[in-house]
Amino acid sequence: MPAVAKIKNTGVSVRKVKPLIDLIRGRTVTEAVGILSFMPSPTASQLLKLLKSANANAENEMLSGSPESLKITSIFADEGPRTKRFRPRSRGRVSNISRRNSHVTIVLDEKEN
């Protein structure tokens, strides 16, 4: 049974999360932790925290004892709710500002030899 972890309302748009997700998709947990820990992006630190949570879930479900034997089988980002704001413009008008959010889901499973 795979171990799943989710993070909701990250405050970062899906467009900014996807390049980081593509870097770690299909890798083992130790490789992904190594990649994310040296990235300067604040989004990378959120993904690292999510990855460690999924690893802890896998240990609690007795999936495997070591992170070397766990592989990221699925990781994806979905669009979350948008926060709508207004910006004043000239001549008494307004324009819309849409702040996008995302939900990230990660699934870990044992790697096949």
Side-chain angles (χ1 to χ4, degrees), residues 10-113:
T10 59
V12 182
S13 69
V14 175
R15 187 175 176 183
K16 294 178 182 176
V17 173
K18 275 191 175 184
L20 296 174
I21 285 175
D22 291 338
L23 282 175
I24 63 171
R25 182 178 286 126
R27 297 184 186 262
T28 62
V29 173
T30 53
E31 289 175 351
V33 167
I35 290 170
L36 291 175
S37 61
F38 290 107
M39 297 197 75
S41 169
T43 308
S45 65
Q46 284 184 343
L47 287 177
L48 180 62
K49 194 173 178 182
L50 177 66
L51 184 61
K52 288 181 180 179
S53 174
N55 189 21
N57 290 346
E59 287 178 5
N60 285 339
E61 292 176 6
M62 301 296 180
L63 195 63
S64 176
S66 64
E68 293 87 16
S69 63
L70 292 175
K71 183 179 177 183
I72 300 172
T73 57
S74 174
I75 181 168
F76 54 91
D78 295 323
E79 189 170 328
R82 295 181 183 180
T83 307
K84 296 181 175 132
R85 299 285 184 259
F86 298 104
R87 169 93 45 202
R89 296 294 179 194
S90 63
R91 296 166 55 188
R93 297 179 182 167
V94 296
S95 64
N96 293 331
I97 292 178
S98 177
R99 295 185 181 157
R100 298 169 191 257
N101 275 326
S102 61
H103 305 315
V104 181
T105 305
I106 189 167
V107 180
L108 299 180
D109 205 358
E110 292 185 45
K111 79 177 160 173
E112 301 168 4
N113 293 329

